Amino acid sequence: MILFPAIDLKDGKCVRLVRGLMEEATVFNDDPAAQAREFVAQGFEYLHLVDLNGAFEGRPVNASAVDAILKAISIPAQLGGGIRDLATIETWLGKGVARVIIGTAAVKNPALVIEACKKFPGRIAVGLDAKDGRVAVEGWAEVSDLTVLEMAHRFEDAGVSAIIYTDIARDGVLEGLNIEATVALANAIRIPVIASGGLSSIDDIHRLIAANCKGLEGAISGRALYDGRIDPAAALRLLKEAA
């Protein structure tokens, strides 16, 4: 399993939100590229980037910060937030993003996911963010009528490389991953699932490993890494030993 450190971008800075609320942002680093280099130095092998402003505005907003990160690292990075059309997908992949994450557009325009998967095989992921089991969109400001499982099933045969499943109620509050719901989703579909939202300590990583779920590709960690609640070396060693 992969542990993805998260770099969430708001107004060009590296922040963490509480349950997706932009007004609940804590700035952890004014220099996202420096933060990316630090994660690389700690031994991480894959970064998770989110353009938070982009998620709300429906277009890339923190492009210069993402560009700086891509120039600063030699490991792959996946990116979500404000990716709503094929041209934007093509631009980011051309700039060196390893995998783009389609969230709102996957709900509102599923044909985009199918077309993108055909054009860029292996490089398209879908972000499914859940509020009380329903998929939230537009930077989590709107909740759709669809369940996470209903959405996931739509893309079973599309060639989606991964689904990033976030429990919004737990995001940024260090209450622990919703492992039960994540594992249930991973067991119900053929697409690999990445757990997100609430990872609070190395205990969560122990629980992920103990779930012994082949459909789990990994987990995303944000605030717990920034707060020092997770020791990167210990977490990465644990995952390596479990591999």
Side-chain angles (χ1 to χ4, degrees), residues 102 109-119 124 154-155 158 160:
I102 303 175
N109 182 18
L112 173 65
V113 175
I114 295 165
E115 185 181 4
C117 286
K118 286 179 182 176
K119 191 165 185 180
I124 307 298
R154 287 186 174 189
F155 301 115
V160 171

Side-chain angles (χ1 to χ4, degrees), residues 7-13 22 32 49-69 79-85 88 91-92 95 138-139:
I7 297 180
D8 291 355
L9 300 164
K10 179 178 183 285
D11 305 331
K13 297 176 181 178
M22 289 290 264
L49 314 177
V50 181
D51 181 347
L52 293 171
N53 301 98
F56 281 91
E57 296 191 26
R59 60 179 179 83
V61 175
N62 287 285
S64 59
V66 175
D67 288 343
I69 290 170
L79 171 69
I83 300 172
R84 309 282 170 88
D85 55 55
T88 304
T91 296
W92 281 127
K95 285 185 171 188
E138 303 291 352

Side-chain angles (χ1 to χ4, degrees), residues 10 17 37 40-41 74 106 134 140 144 152 182 185-187 191-193 200 207 210 212 214 222 231:
K10 179 178 183 285
L17 306 185
R37 284 192 294 268
V40 173
S74 56
R134 302 283 170 178
W140 300 351
S144 74
T182 305
L185 177 64
N187 284 332
I191 307 167
V193 174
S200 60
R207 290 166 60 218
N212 195 27
K214 291 180 180 178
D231 174 60

Side-chain angles (χ1 to χ4, degrees), residues 175-177 179 198-209:
E175 291 182 354
L177 288 168
I179 290 177
L199 198 153
S200 60
S201 71
I202 204 157
D203 287 342
D204 276 320
I205 297 172
H206 279 288
R207 290 166 60 218
L208 280 171
I209 293 168

Side-chain angles (χ1 to χ4, degrees), residues 13 24 29 31 33 43 50 54-55 69 86 121 143 160 172 182 194 196 217 221 239-240:
K13 297 176 181 178
E24 295 280 347
N29 200 322
D31 187 343
V50 181
I69 290 170
L86 205 61
V143 180
V160 171
T182 305
I194 298 169
S196 175
E217 181 176 297
S221 179
L239 288 169
K240 189 174 182 180

Side-chain angles (χ1 to χ4, degrees), residues 87-157:
T88 304
I89 293 167
E90 194 159 9
T91 296
W92 281 127
L93 294 178
K95 285 185 171 188
V97 171
R99 179 162 68 185
V100 298
I101 304 162
I102 303 175
T104 294
V107 178
K108 298 192 170 184
N109 182 18
L112 173 65
V113 175
I114 295 165
E115 185 181 4
C117 286
K118 286 179 182 176
K119 191 165 185 180
F120 307 106
R123 303 185 73 186
I124 307 298
V126 168
L128 297 181
D129 309 323
K131 259 185 184 175
D132 301 321
R134 302 283 170 178
V135 176
V137 296
E138 303 291 352
W140 300 351
E142 297 176 17
V143 180
S144 74
D145 294 328
L146 295 161
T147 68
V148 170
L149 187 56
E150 285 169 342
M151 273 302 304
H153 278 315
R154 287 186 174 189
F155 301 115
E156 283 270 43
D157 300 314

